[in-house]
Amino acid sequence: MQEGKMYQRILVAVDDSKTSRRALDYALAKAHDNGAQLRVVHVIDIPTPYVADVDPTPFIEAMRTLGDSIREDAVKRMKEANVKGDVEIREILPLGEDIPHQIIAASEAFDADVIVVGTHGRRGFRRLALGSVAENCARRATRPVILIPHAAAALQGDGDAVPPPASLSETTATAWPCI
């Protein structure tokens, strides 16, 4: 890393949630402030067909279409924020690795200085049943992880896309570094 620059390679994991948009806002601001390169990663989890004779192809294609939409939005937002970077779409085959594994693998392949991921704030049974991608990333990663809490979305409005803050200091209060 260059002297005076905290991060030069930032990876942010995104899906189609409000919290994910806030994580991207944070990563865009951090990349802009540091002159860093940004890698946006979206992971498509290909489902295992649970019912015989059901073709999962339409569902898989819908997930890929959503991935394309997420890619287009991220590229547009990087251009608007004057941040250099790219978007990677990864797919997990049925009974393959999980989403946190793919995010961490992407961060290693990119040689990211930090991983940024939103956390949805599930508690109790929902968290137990669904698990937490963000929590698993933070536990398994070998590099710093910054979690953007679900509350950050509520603090900043209804979840519509907003331009990245003018400086990182505007978002720092809503980020939880997990190093």
Side-chain angles (χ1 to χ4, degrees), residues 1-174:
M1 278 187 266
Q2 296 174 350
E3 189 174 323
K5 298 290 184 177
M6 197 167 183
Y7 301 117
Q8 291 300 300
R9 300 174 70 78
I10 300 170
L11 181 129
V12 59
V14 298
D15 56 23
D16 64 336
S17 68
K18 293 176 187 177
T19 303
S20 171
R21 285 190 290 276
R22 298 303 173 225
L24 181 55
D25 288 342
Y26 182 86
L28 284 166
K30 202 146 191 70
H32 183 268
D33 289 354
N34 286 277
Q37 184 176 358
L38 182 65
R39 164 88 33 101
V40 178
V41 173
H42 174 69
V43 180
I44 299 172
D45 193 0
I46 303 295
T48 302
Y50 290 104
V51 180
D53 300 326
V54 173
D55 181 12
T57 303
F59 182 70
I60 293 169
E61 289 307 315
M63 292 172 58
R64 288 179 176 148
T65 298
L66 175 62
D68 290 340
S69 175
I70 288 170
R71 178 195 319 264
E72 290 170 14
D73 180 63
V75 167
K76 176 184 168 197
R77 294 182 63 199
M78 282 190 284
K79 285 181 182 176
E80 289 170 353
N82 197 27
V83 168
K84 293 181 181 177
D86 57 18
V87 180
E88 179 181 2
I89 307 292
R90 290 178 164 239
E91 291 188 5
I92 301 173
L93 298 177
L95 305 176
E97 298 290 346
D98 61 5
I99 293 172
H101 174 83
Q102 286 297 316
I103 293 168
I104 292 166
S107 75
E108 291 169 356
F110 180 58
D111 194 24
D113 298 315
V114 66
I115 301 168
V116 178
V117 63
T119 179
H120 294 282
R122 292 184 184 104
R123 298 190 188 278
F125 179 75
R126 287 184 70 205
R127 180 170 171 223
L128 179 64
L130 299 174
S132 169
V133 168
E135 180 180 344
N136 282 313
C137 282
R139 286 179 189 225
R140 296 184 203 168
T142 58
R143 57 196 72 231
V145 174
I146 298 174
L147 299 178
I148 305 300
H150 176 72
L155 292 173
Q156 296 183 18
D158 64 3
D160 291 335
V162 294
S167 75
L168 184 58
S169 62
E170 293 178 36
T171 59
T172 303
T174 60

